[in-house]
Amino acid sequence: MVKKAIILVAGMGTRLKPLTLNNHKCLTKVNGKPILHNALDCLKMAGVSEALLVVGYLADKIRGEIGDDFHGLKIRYAENDVYSATNTSYSLKIGLENISGYDSLFILEGDVFFSPALLKRIDGCESANVTLLEKYHPNLDGSFVEVNEHGYVIDWIHKSERESGFTIEDKYKTINIHKFDSEFAAKTLKAYVQKLCDMEDGKAPLESAMRELVRDFPQAVYGLESAGMKWFEIDDESDLKIAEEIFGGQGE
C-alpha cells in the first residue's frame, strides 16, 4: 500500500510573533525539535513514502532546512504564492492538485506537535476516511466537530463559524491529522475544496469545506479519539509552553 502525505505550511503564523518574524511557524522548536521535523519523522515511521509540503511564507527557508529527502522520506513542494491573501482551503486545493499515485493520503496542518503513536493509531483504523479527535477539555480551543452515535462526523465547526448558542463541552477538538483513501481524496474532498475556493476566493479555512462535506455525507468521515496519546496544536507562545510541558522536555 502506497502512503503519501500533504502538510500545509504556507501560513505566516502571525499569532506566534515575534518568533515567526524570521522563522517559519513549522520550524519552531518544541524542546529543541522543530514541529515539522517531528511530523516528518512520524510520517516516516508510519510507512509514508512521500510528503508534499505546501509552502508560502518563508518557503525558501523551509526548502533549505528540509531539502528533497528527510531521513529517507521523499519530499516534494508545491507553492501557494498568494498565501497572505488565502487560507488553508486554498493550500489544500494546491496540495490535492499536485499529488497522485497513493492508496491512502495523510493530511496534516503544520502546527501540530504529536507522538508517533497517533499516526499508528489512525493508520490502524479500519475506516478508510478518518480524522483524529480529542474530547473537549479546558486546554482546547479552535475547531471542533460533532459526531453521531456511530462515531461519524456530522458537523465540523471552525472557531470563526460558531453560531449563537453553540456549546463546546459536548464536542470534539480536531487534531488536524486526517487520513483518506485515494478515491475519496481525489474526487470527493478535492471537489468540495475546489467549490469552496471558487465561492470564497480561497479565503476560507479548510474546515468550511469539511463542514459542507460531512453534512452532505454524514457517514463519510469517522472520528477517531486520540485515546490519551500526546499532541498539541501550537498557535501562540502560551501554546508552545503547554506543548513543551506535555512532551516533558524530550521533544519526541
Side-chain angles (χ1 to χ4, degrees):
M1 175 178 285
V2 178
K3 304 174 190 176
K4 295 187 179 182
I6 294 173
I7 308 181
L8 308 179
V9 288
M12 300 173 69
T14 54
R15 284 180 286 175
L16 199 55
K17 286 182 179 178
L19 298 179
T20 52
L21 289 173
N22 298 301
N23 194 41
H24 197 279
K25 181 180 182 179
C26 72
L27 300 178
T28 301
K29 294 180 180 180
V30 175
N31 300 323
K33 186 167 189 176
I35 298 170
L36 182 56
H37 288 213
N38 180 72
L40 294 172
D41 281 340
C42 290
L43 288 168
K44 174 65 177 177
M45 284 185 269
V48 173
S49 60
E50 176 182 302
L52 175 70
L53 307 186
V54 182
V55 295
Y57 178 63
L58 296 179
D60 288 343
K61 192 172 186 67
I62 296 173
R63 285 190 179 96
E65 177 148 342
I66 303 301
D68 298 324
D69 183 283
F70 188 85
H71 302 167
L73 176 63
K74 181 180 179 181
I75 305 295
R76 294 176 53 243
Y77 298 89
E79 188 145 0
N80 177 356
D81 56 7
V82 288
Y83 62 86
S84 63
T86 57
N87 210 316
T88 47
S89 63
Y90 191 75
S91 289
L92 181 55
K93 171 182 174 293
I94 291 170
L96 291 169
E97 290 172 345
N98 284 275
I99 198 163
S100 61
Y102 56 86
D103 297 301
S104 59
L105 179 67
F106 291 93
I107 297 177
L108 289 67
E109 294 194 33
D111 58 1
V112 183
F113 201 95
F114 57 93
S115 163
L118 268 178
L119 282 192
K120 292 179 182 178
R121 179 165 173 77
I122 194 172
D123 200 30
C125 181
E126 62 183 24
S127 297
N129 305 305
V130 57
T131 185
L132 280 167
L133 307 174
E134 182 159 330
K135 184 76 170 115
Y136 168 81
H137 60 74
N139 268 346
L140 300 177
D141 198 7
S143 299
F144 282 79
V145 305
E146 182 178 352
V147 301
N148 65 17
E149 65 272 22
H150 303 295
Y152 287 93
V153 179
I154 57 174
D155 202 5
W156 204 304
I157 311 101
H158 187 265
K159 186 176 182 178
S160 66
E161 296 179 331
R162 293 180 190 173
E163 297 154 354
S164 177
F166 178 84
T167 58
I168 197 172
E169 292 79 10
D170 59 341
K171 306 296 191 300
Y172 292 82
K173 173 74 177 75
T174 58
I175 297 178
N176 295 325
I177 298 174
H178 326 284
K179 189 188 77 167
F180 305 119
D181 70 17
S182 57
E183 182 174 3
F184 181 87
K187 294 182 179 179
T188 307
L189 178 60
K190 187 175 182 180
Y192 274 80
V193 170
Q194 179 68 61
K195 178 182 177 182
L196 178 68
C197 288
D198 290 344
M199 291 175 59
E200 302 289 343
D201 295 324
K203 296 179 181 179
L206 69 85
E207 288 89 346
S208 297
M210 295 306 300
R211 186 175 210 186
E212 293 302 313
L213 192 159
V214 299
R215 284 179 166 183
D216 288 345
F217 300 99
Q219 296 190 64
V221 181
Y222 184 76
L224 181 67
E225 290 192 59
S226 61
M229 296 176 183
K230 294 181 180 180
W231 71 278
F232 207 72
E233 179 181 1
I234 299 164
D235 287 322
D236 54 34
E237 289 194 71
S238 64
D239 289 340
L240 180 58
K241 291 178 181 178
I242 293 171
E244 292 187 327
E245 291 172 1
I246 288 171
F247 284 87
Q250 298 178 10
E252 296 181 359

Coordinates of all heavy atoms in Angstrom, one line a residue, residues 145-228:
V145 N -15.7 19.3 16.2 CA -16.7 18.5 15.4 C -17.7 17.9 16.3 O -17.5 17.8 17.5 CB -16.0 17.4 14.6 CG1 -14.9 18.0 13.7 CG2 -15.5 16.3 15.5
E146 N -18.8 17.6 15.7 CA -19.9 16.8 16.4 C -19.9 15.4 15.7 O -19.8 15.3 14.5 CB -21.2 17.5 16.2 CG -22.4 16.8 16.9 CD -23.7 17.6 16.8 OE1 -23.7 18.7 16.3 OE2 -24.7 17.0 17.2
V147 N -20.1 14.4 16.5 CA -20.1 13.0 16.0 C -21.5 12.4 16.3 O -22.1 12.8 17.3 CB -19.0 12.2 16.5 CG1 -17.6 12.8 16.1 CG2 -19.1 12.0 18.0
N148 N -21.9 11.5 15.5 CA -23.2 10.8 15.8 C -22.9 9.5 16.7 O -21.8 9.3 17.1 CB -23.9 10.4 14.5 CG -23.2 9.4 13.6 OD1 -22.2 8.7 14.1 ND2 -23.6 9.3 12.4
E149 N -23.9 8.8 16.9 CA -23.8 7.6 17.8 C -22.9 6.5 17.3 O -22.4 5.7 18.1 CB -25.2 7.0 18.2 CG -25.9 6.4 17.0 CD -26.8 7.4 16.2 OE1 -26.5 8.6 16.3 OE2 -27.7 7.0 15.5
H150 N -22.6 6.6 16.0 CA -21.7 5.6 15.4 C -20.3 6.1 15.3 O -19.4 5.4 14.7 CB -22.3 5.1 14.1 CG -23.7 4.6 14.1 ND1 -24.0 3.4 14.8 CD2 -24.8 5.1 13.6 CE1 -25.3 3.2 14.7 NE2 -25.8 4.2 14.0
G151 N -20.0 7.3 15.7 CA -18.7 7.8 15.7 C -18.4 8.6 14.4 O -17.2 9.1 14.3
Y152 N -19.3 8.8 13.5 CA -19.0 9.5 12.3 C -19.3 11.0 12.5 O -20.2 11.5 13.2 CB -19.9 9.0 11.1 CG -19.5 7.7 10.6 CD1 -20.0 6.5 11.1 CD2 -18.5 7.6 9.7 CE1 -19.6 5.3 10.7 CE2 -18.0 6.4 9.2 CZ -18.6 5.2 9.7 OH -18.2 4.0 9.3
V153 N -18.4 11.8 11.8 CA -18.5 13.3 12.0 C -19.7 13.8 11.2 O -19.8 13.6 10.0 CB -17.2 14.0 11.5 CG1 -17.3 15.5 11.6 CG2 -16.0 13.4 12.3
I154 N -20.6 14.6 11.9 CA -21.8 15.1 11.2 C -21.8 16.6 11.1 O -22.6 17.2 10.5 CB -23.1 14.6 11.9 CG1 -23.1 14.9 13.4 CG2 -23.2 13.1 11.7 CD1 -24.4 14.6 14.1
D155 N -20.8 17.3 11.8 CA -20.7 18.7 11.7 C -19.2 19.0 12.0 O -18.6 18.4 12.8 CB -21.6 19.5 12.6 CG -21.9 20.9 12.1 OD1 -21.3 21.3 11.0 OD2 -22.6 21.7 12.8
W156 N -18.7 20.1 11.4 CA -17.3 20.5 11.5 C -17.3 22.0 11.6 O -17.6 22.7 10.6 CB -16.6 20.0 10.3 CG -15.1 19.7 10.4 CD1 -14.1 20.6 10.8 CD2 -14.4 18.5 10.1 NE1 -12.9 20.0 10.8 CE2 -13.0 18.8 10.3 CE3 -14.8 17.3 9.6 CZ2 -12.0 17.8 10.1 CZ3 -13.8 16.3 9.4 CH2 -12.5 16.6 9.6
I157 N -16.9 22.5 12.8 CA -17.1 23.9 13.0 C -15.8 24.6 13.3 O -15.1 24.4 14.3 CB -18.1 24.1 14.2 CG1 -19.3 23.3 14.1 CG2 -18.4 25.6 14.4 CD1 -19.3 22.0 14.9
H158 N -15.4 25.5 12.4 CA -14.2 26.4 12.6 C -14.6 27.4 13.7 O -15.8 27.8 13.8 CB -13.9 27.1 11.3 CG -12.6 27.9 11.4 ND1 -12.6 29.2 11.7 CD2 -11.3 27.5 11.3 CE1 -11.3 29.7 11.8 NE2 -10.5 28.6 11.5
K159 N -13.7 27.8 14.5 CA -13.9 28.8 15.6 C -14.7 30.0 15.1 O -15.6 30.5 15.8 CB -12.6 29.2 16.3 CG -12.8 30.0 17.5 CD -11.5 30.3 18.2 CE -11.8 31.1 19.5 NZ -10.5 31.4 20.2
S160 N -14.3 30.5 13.9 CA -15.0 31.7 13.4 C -16.4 31.5 13.0 O -17.2 32.4 12.7 CB -14.2 32.2 12.2 OG -14.3 31.3 11.1
E161 N -16.9 30.2 12.9 CA -18.2 29.9 12.4 C -19.1 29.4 13.5 O -20.2 28.9 13.3 CB -18.1 28.8 11.3 CG -17.4 29.3 10.1 CD -17.3 28.3 9.0 OE1 -17.3 27.1 9.3 OE2 -17.3 28.6 7.8
R162 N -18.7 29.6 14.8 CA -19.6 29.2 15.9 C -20.8 30.1 15.9 O -20.7 31.3 16.0 CB -18.8 29.3 17.2 CG -17.7 28.3 17.3 CD -17.0 28.4 18.7 NE -15.8 27.6 18.7 CZ -14.9 27.6 19.7 NH1 -15.1 28.4 20.7 NH2 -13.8 26.9 19.7
E163 N -22.0 29.5 15.9 CA -23.2 30.2 15.9 C -23.7 30.5 17.3 O -23.2 29.9 18.3 CB -24.3 29.4 15.1 CG -23.9 29.2 13.6 CD -24.5 28.0 13.0 OE1 -25.1 27.2 13.7 OE2 -24.3 27.8 11.8
S164 N -24.7 31.4 17.4 CA -25.3 31.7 18.7 C -25.8 30.5 19.4 O -26.5 29.7 18.7 CB -26.4 32.7 18.5 OG -27.0 33.0 19.7
G165 N -25.5 30.3 20.6 CA -25.9 29.1 21.4 C -25.1 27.9 21.2 O -25.4 26.8 21.8
F166 N -23.9 28.0 20.5 CA -23.0 26.9 20.3 C -22.4 26.5 21.6 O -22.0 27.3 22.4 CB -21.9 27.3 19.4 CG -20.9 26.3 19.1 CD1 -21.1 25.3 18.1 CD2 -19.7 26.2 19.8 CE1 -20.1 24.3 17.9 CE2 -18.7 25.3 19.6 CZ -19.0 24.3 18.6
T167 N -22.5 25.2 21.9 CA -21.9 24.6 23.1 C -20.7 23.8 22.7 O -20.7 23.0 21.8 CB -22.9 23.7 23.8 OG1 -23.3 22.6 22.9 CG2 -24.1 24.5 24.3
I168 N -19.6 24.0 23.5 CA -18.3 23.4 23.1 C -18.1 22.1 24.0 O -17.4 21.2 23.5 CB -17.2 24.4 23.3 CG1 -15.9 23.9 22.6 CG2 -16.9 24.7 24.8 CD1 -14.9 25.0 22.5
E169 N -18.7 22.0 25.1 CA -18.4 21.0 26.1 C -18.7 19.6 25.6 O -18.1 18.6 26.1 CB -19.0 21.3 27.4 CG -18.5 22.5 28.2 CD -19.1 23.8 27.6 OE1 -20.0 23.8 26.8 OE2 -18.5 24.8 28.1
D170 N -19.7 19.5 24.7 CA -20.1 18.2 24.2 C -19.5 17.8 22.8 O -19.9 16.9 22.2 CB -21.6 18.1 24.1 CG -22.2 19.1 23.2 OD1 -21.5 20.1 22.9 OD2 -23.4 19.0 22.7
K171 N -18.5 18.6 22.4 CA -17.9 18.4 21.1 C -16.5 17.8 21.2 O -16.0 17.6 22.3 CB -17.8 19.8 20.4 CG -19.1 20.5 20.2 CD -20.1 19.8 19.4 CE -21.3 20.7 19.1 NZ -22.1 21.2 20.2
Y172 N -15.9 17.6 20.1 CA -14.5 17.0 20.0 C -13.6 17.9 19.2 O -14.0 18.4 18.1 CB -14.6 15.6 19.3 CG -15.3 14.6 20.1 CD1 -16.7 14.5 20.0 CD2 -14.6 13.7 20.9 CE1 -17.3 13.5 20.8 CE2 -15.2 12.7 21.6 CZ -16.6 12.6 21.5 OH -17.3 11.6 22.3
K173 N -12.5 18.2 19.8 CA -11.5 19.0 19.1 C -10.8 18.3 17.9 O -10.4 17.1 18.1 CB -10.4 19.5 20.1 CG -9.2 20.2 19.5 CD -9.6 21.6 19.1 CE -8.3 22.4 18.6 NZ -8.0 22.0 17.2
T174 N -10.7 18.9 16.8 CA -9.9 18.3 15.7 C -8.4 18.5 16.0 O -8.0 19.5 16.3 CB -10.3 19.0 14.4 OG1 -10.0 20.4 14.5 CG2 -11.8 18.9 14.0
I175 N -7.7 17.4 15.8 CA -6.3 17.4 16.0 C -5.6 17.9 14.7 O -4.4 18.2 14.7 CB -5.8 16.0 16.4 CG1 -6.4 15.7 17.8 CG2 -4.3 15.9 16.5 CD1 -6.1 14.3 18.4
N176 N -6.3 17.9 13.6 CA -5.8 18.4 12.3 C -4.8 17.3 11.7 O -3.8 17.7 11.0 CB -5.1 19.8 12.4 CG -6.2 20.8 12.7 OD1 -7.3 20.8 12.3 ND2 -5.8 21.8 13.5
I177 N -5.1 16.1 12.0 CA -4.4 15.0 11.3 C -5.5 14.1 10.8 O -6.4 13.6 11.5 CB -3.5 14.2 12.3 CG1 -2.4 15.1 12.9 CG2 -2.9 13.0 11.6 CD1 -1.6 14.4 14.0
H178 N -5.5 13.9 9.5 CA -6.6 13.1 8.8 C -5.9 12.1 7.9 O -4.8 12.2 7.4 CB -7.4 14.0 7.9 CG -7.6 15.4 8.5 ND1 -8.5 15.7 9.5 CD2 -7.1 16.6 8.2 CE1 -8.5 16.9 9.8 NE2 -7.6 17.5 9.0
K179 N -6.7 11.0 7.6 CA -6.2 10.0 6.6 C -7.4 9.7 5.7 O -8.5 9.3 6.2 CB -5.7 8.8 7.2 CG -5.0 7.8 6.2 CD -4.6 6.5 6.9 CE -5.9 5.6 7.0 NZ -5.5 4.2 7.3
F180 N -7.2 9.7 4.4 CA -8.3 9.4 3.4 C -7.8 8.5 2.4 O -6.6 8.4 2.0 CB -8.8 10.7 2.7 CG -9.2 11.8 3.7 CD1 -8.5 13.0 3.7 CD2 -10.3 11.6 4.5 CE1 -8.9 14.0 4.6 CE2 -10.7 12.6 5.4 CZ -10.0 13.8 5.4
D181 N -8.7 7.7 1.8 CA -8.3 6.8 0.7 C -8.3 7.6 -0.6 O -8.7 8.7 -0.6 CB -9.2 5.5 0.6 CG -10.6 5.8 0.1 OD1 -10.9 6.9 -0.4 OD2 -11.5 4.9 0.3
S182 N -7.7 7.0 -1.6 CA -7.4 7.7 -2.8 C -8.6 8.2 -3.5 O -8.6 9.4 -4.0 CB -6.6 6.8 -3.8 OG -7.3 5.6 -4.0
E183 N -9.7 7.4 -3.6 CA -10.9 7.8 -4.3 C -11.5 9.0 -3.6 O -12.0 10.0 -4.2 CB -11.8 6.7 -4.4 CG -13.1 7.0 -5.2 CD -14.0 5.8 -5.5 OE1 -13.7 4.7 -5.0 OE2 -15.0 6.0 -6.2
F184 N -11.7 8.9 -2.3 CA -12.3 10.0 -1.5 C -11.5 11.3 -1.6 O -12.1 12.3 -1.9 CB -12.4 9.6 0.0 CG -13.1 10.6 0.8 CD1 -14.5 10.6 1.0 CD2 -12.4 11.5 1.5 CE1 -15.1 11.5 1.8 CE2 -13.0 12.5 2.3 CZ -14.4 12.5 2.4
A185 N -10.2 11.2 -1.5 CA -9.4 12.4 -1.5 C -9.4 13.0 -2.9 O -9.5 14.3 -3.0 CB -7.9 12.1 -1.1
A186 N -9.2 12.2 -3.9 CA -9.0 12.7 -5.3 C -10.3 13.2 -5.9 O -10.3 14.0 -6.8 CB -8.4 11.7 -6.2
K187 N -11.4 12.7 -5.4 CA -12.7 13.0 -6.0 C -13.6 13.9 -5.1 O -13.8 15.1 -5.3 CB -13.5 11.8 -6.4 CG -12.8 11.0 -7.5 CD -13.6 9.8 -7.9 CE -12.9 9.0 -9.1 NZ -13.7 7.8 -9.5
T188 N -14.1 13.3 -4.0 CA -15.0 14.0 -3.1 C -14.3 15.2 -2.4 O -14.8 16.3 -2.5 CB -15.6 13.0 -2.1 OG1 -16.1 11.9 -2.7 CG2 -16.6 13.7 -1.3
L189 N -13.2 14.9 -1.7 CA -12.6 16.0 -0.9 C -12.1 17.1 -1.9 O -12.4 18.3 -1.6 CB -11.4 15.5 -0.1 CG -10.6 16.5 0.7 CD1 -11.5 17.2 1.7 CD2 -9.5 15.9 1.4
K190 N -11.5 16.7 -3.0 CA -11.0 17.7 -3.9 C -12.1 18.6 -4.5 O -12.0 19.8 -4.6 CB -10.2 17.0 -5.0 CG -9.5 17.9 -6.0 CD -8.7 17.1 -7.0 CE -8.0 18.0 -8.0 NZ -7.2 17.2 -9.0
A191 N -13.3 18.0 -4.8 CA -14.4 18.7 -5.3 C -14.9 19.7 -4.3 O -15.3 20.9 -4.7 CB -15.5 17.7 -5.8
Y192 N -15.1 19.3 -3.1 CA -15.6 20.3 -2.1 C -14.6 21.4 -1.8 O -15.0 22.5 -1.6 CB -15.9 19.5 -0.8 CG -17.3 18.9 -0.8 CD1 -17.6 17.7 -1.5 CD2 -18.4 19.5 -0.2 CE1 -18.8 17.2 -1.5 CE2 -19.7 19.0 -0.2 CZ -19.9 17.8 -0.9 OH -21.2 17.3 -1.0
V193 N -13.3 21.1 -1.8 CA -12.3 22.1 -1.6 C -12.3 23.1 -2.7 O -12.3 24.3 -2.6 CB -10.9 21.5 -1.3 CG1 -9.8 22.6 -1.4 CG2 -10.9 20.8 0.0
Q194 N -12.4 22.6 -3.9 CA -12.4 23.4 -5.1 C -13.7 24.3 -5.1 O -13.6 25.5 -5.4 CB -12.5 22.6 -6.4 CG -12.5 23.4 -7.7 CD -11.3 24.1 -8.0 OE1 -10.2 23.6 -8.1 NE2 -11.4 25.5 -8.1
K195 N -14.8 23.8 -4.8 CA -16.1 24.5 -4.7 C -16.0 25.7 -3.7 O -16.4 26.8 -4.0 CB -17.2 23.6 -4.4 CG -18.6 24.3 -4.3 CD -19.7 23.3 -3.8 CE -21.0 24.0 -3.6 NZ -22.1 23.1 -3.2
L196 N -15.4 25.4 -2.5 CA -15.3 26.4 -1.5 C -14.3 27.5 -2.0 O -14.6 28.7 -1.8 CB -14.8 25.8 -0.2 CG -14.6 26.8 0.9 CD1 -15.9 27.4 1.4 CD2 -13.8 26.1 2.1
C197 N -13.2 27.1 -2.6 CA -12.2 28.1 -3.0 C -12.8 29.0 -4.1 O -12.6 30.2 -4.2 CB -11.0 27.4 -3.6 SG -10.0 26.7 -2.3
D198 N -13.6 28.4 -5.0 CA -14.3 29.2 -6.0 C -15.3 30.2 -5.4 O -15.4 31.4 -5.9 CB -15.0 28.3 -7.0 CG -14.1 27.5 -7.9 OD1 -12.9 27.9 -8.0 OD2 -14.6 26.5 -8.5
M199 N -16.0 29.8 -4.4 CA -17.0 30.7 -3.8 C -16.4 31.8 -2.9 O -16.9 32.9 -2.8 CB -17.9 29.8 -2.9 CG -18.9 28.9 -3.7 SD -19.8 27.8 -2.6 CE -20.7 29.0 -1.6
E200 N -15.3 31.4 -2.2 CA -14.7 32.3 -1.2 C -13.3 32.9 -1.7 O -12.6 33.5 -0.8 CB -14.6 31.6 0.1 CG -15.9 31.1 0.7 CD -16.8 32.2 1.1 OE1 -16.4 33.3 1.4 OE2 -18.0 31.9 1.3
D201 N -13.0 32.7 -2.9 CA -11.7 33.2 -3.4 C -10.5 32.6 -2.6 O -9.5 33.3 -2.4 CB -11.6 34.7 -3.4 CG -12.6 35.3 -4.4 OD1 -12.8 34.7 -5.4 OD2 -13.2 36.4 -4.0
G202 N -10.7 31.4 -2.1 CA -9.6 30.8 -1.3 C -9.3 31.3 0.0 O -8.4 31.0 0.7
K203 N -10.2 32.2 0.5 CA -10.0 32.8 1.8 C -10.6 32.1 3.0 O -10.4 32.5 4.1 CB -10.6 34.3 1.8 CG -9.9 35.1 0.7 CD -10.5 36.5 0.7 CE -9.8 37.4 -0.4 NZ -10.4 38.7 -0.5
A204 N -11.3 31.0 2.8 CA -12.0 30.3 3.9 C -11.0 29.2 4.4 O -10.2 28.6 3.6 CB -13.3 29.7 3.4
P205 N -11.2 28.8 5.6 CA -10.4 27.7 6.2 C -10.9 26.3 5.6 O -12.1 26.2 5.2 CB -10.6 27.8 7.7 CG -12.0 28.4 7.8 CD -12.1 29.4 6.7
L206 N -10.1 25.3 5.6 CA -10.5 24.0 5.1 C -11.6 23.4 5.9 O -12.4 22.6 5.4 CB -9.3 23.1 5.0 CG -8.6 22.5 6.2 CD1 -9.4 21.3 6.8 CD2 -7.2 22.2 6.0
E207 N -11.8 23.8 7.1 CA -12.9 23.3 7.9 C -14.2 23.6 7.3 O -15.2 22.9 7.5 CB -12.8 23.9 9.4 CG -11.7 23.4 10.2 CD -10.4 24.2 10.1 OE1 -10.3 25.0 9.1 OE2 -9.5 23.9 10.9
S208 N -14.3 24.8 6.6 CA -15.6 25.1 5.9 C -15.9 24.1 4.9 O -17.1 23.8 4.7 CB -15.5 26.5 5.4 OG -15.3 27.5 6.4
A209 N -14.9 23.6 4.1 CA -15.2 22.6 3.1 C -15.6 21.3 3.8 O -16.5 20.6 3.3 CB -13.9 22.4 2.2
M210 N -14.9 21.0 4.9 CA -15.2 19.7 5.6 C -16.6 19.8 6.2 O -17.4 18.8 6.2 CB -14.2 19.5 6.7 CG -12.8 19.2 6.2 SD -12.7 17.9 5.0 CE -13.3 16.5 5.9
R211 N -17.1 21.0 6.6 CA -18.4 21.1 7.1 C -19.5 20.8 6.1 O -20.4 20.0 6.4 CB -18.6 22.5 7.7 CG -19.9 22.7 8.4 CD -20.1 24.1 9.0 NE -21.0 23.9 10.2 CZ -21.4 25.0 10.9 NH1 -21.1 26.2 10.6 NH2 -22.2 24.8 12.0
E212 N -19.3 21.3 4.9 CA -20.3 21.0 3.8 C -20.2 19.5 3.4 O -21.2 18.9 3.2 CB -20.0 21.9 2.6 CG -20.2 23.4 2.8 CD -21.7 23.7 3.2 OE1 -22.6 23.1 2.6 OE2 -21.8 24.4 4.2
L213 N -19.0 19.0 3.4 CA -18.9 17.6 3.0 C -19.6 16.7 4.0 O -20.3 15.8 3.6 CB -17.4 17.3 2.9 CG -17.0 16.0 2.2 CD1 -15.5 16.0 1.8 CD2 -17.1 14.8 3.2
V214 N -19.3 16.8 5.3 CA -19.9 15.9 6.2 C -21.4 16.1 6.4 O -22.1 15.2 6.8 CB -19.2 15.9 7.6 CG1 -17.7 15.5 7.4 CG2 -19.3 17.2 8.3
R215 N -21.9 17.3 6.1 CA -23.3 17.5 6.2 C -24.0 16.8 5.0 O -25.1 16.3 5.2 CB -23.6 19.0 6.1 CG -23.4 19.7 7.5 CD -23.7 21.2 7.4 NE -23.7 21.8 8.7 CZ -24.1 23.1 8.9 NH1 -24.3 23.9 7.9 NH2 -24.1 23.6 10.1
D216 N -23.3 16.7 3.9 CA -23.9 16.0 2.7 C -23.6 14.5 2.8 O -24.5 13.7 2.3 CB -23.2 16.5 1.4 CG -23.7 17.9 1.1 OD1 -24.7 18.4 1.6 OD2 -23.1 18.6 0.2
F217 N -22.5 14.1 3.5 CA -22.2 12.7 3.6 C -21.9 12.4 5.0 O -20.7 12.3 5.5 CB -21.0 12.3 2.7 CG -21.2 12.6 1.2 CD1 -20.7 13.8 0.7 CD2 -21.9 11.7 0.4 CE1 -20.9 14.0 -0.7 CE2 -22.1 11.9 -0.9 CZ -21.6 13.1 -1.5
P218 N -23.0 12.2 5.9 CA -22.8 12.0 7.3 C -22.1 10.7 7.8 O -21.9 10.5 9.0 CB -24.2 12.2 7.9 CG -25.1 11.8 6.7 CD -24.4 12.3 5.5
Q219 N -21.8 9.8 6.8 CA -21.1 8.6 7.2 C -19.8 8.5 6.4 O -19.3 7.4 6.2 CB -22.0 7.4 7.0 CG -23.2 7.4 7.8 CD -24.0 6.1 7.8 OE1 -23.5 5.0 8.2 NE2 -25.2 6.1 7.3
A220 N -19.3 9.6 6.0 CA -18.1 9.6 5.2 C -16.8 9.6 6.0 O -15.8 8.9 5.6 CB -18.1 10.8 4.2
V221 N -16.7 10.3 7.1 CA -15.5 10.5 7.9 C -15.7 10.0 9.3 O -16.6 10.6 10.0 CB -15.1 12.0 7.8 CG1 -13.7 12.1 8.6 CG2 -14.9 12.5 6.4
Y222 N -14.9 9.1 9.7 CA -15.0 8.5 11.1 C -14.1 9.4 12.0 O -13.0 9.8 11.7 CB -14.5 7.1 11.1 CG -14.7 6.4 12.4 CD1 -15.9 6.0 12.9 CD2 -13.6 6.2 13.3 CE1 -16.1 5.4 14.1 CE2 -13.7 5.7 14.5 CZ -15.0 5.2 14.9 OH -15.1 4.7 16.2
G223 N -14.7 9.7 13.2 CA -13.9 10.4 14.2 C -13.3 9.5 15.2 O -13.9 8.8 16.0
L224 N -11.9 9.4 15.1 CA -11.2 8.5 16.0 C -10.6 9.3 17.2 O -9.8 10.2 17.0 CB -10.1 7.8 15.2 CG -9.2 6.8 15.9 CD1 -10.0 5.6 16.3 CD2 -8.0 6.4 15.0
E225 N -10.9 8.9 18.4 CA -10.4 9.6 19.5 C -8.9 9.3 19.7 O -8.4 8.2 19.4 CB -11.2 9.2 20.8 CG -12.6 9.8 20.8 CD -13.3 9.7 22.1 OE1 -12.7 10.2 23.1 OE2 -14.3 9.0 22.2
S226 N -8.2 10.2 20.3 CA -6.7 10.1 20.5 C -6.3 9.1 21.6 O -5.2 8.8 21.6 CB -6.2 11.5 20.8 OG -6.7 12.0 22.0
A227 N -7.3 8.7 22.4 CA -7.0 7.7 23.5 C -5.9 8.2 24.4 O -5.1 7.3 24.9 CB -6.7 6.4 22.9
G228 N -5.8 9.5 24.7 CA -4.8 10.0 25.6 C -3.4 10.1 25.0 O -2.4 10.4 25.8

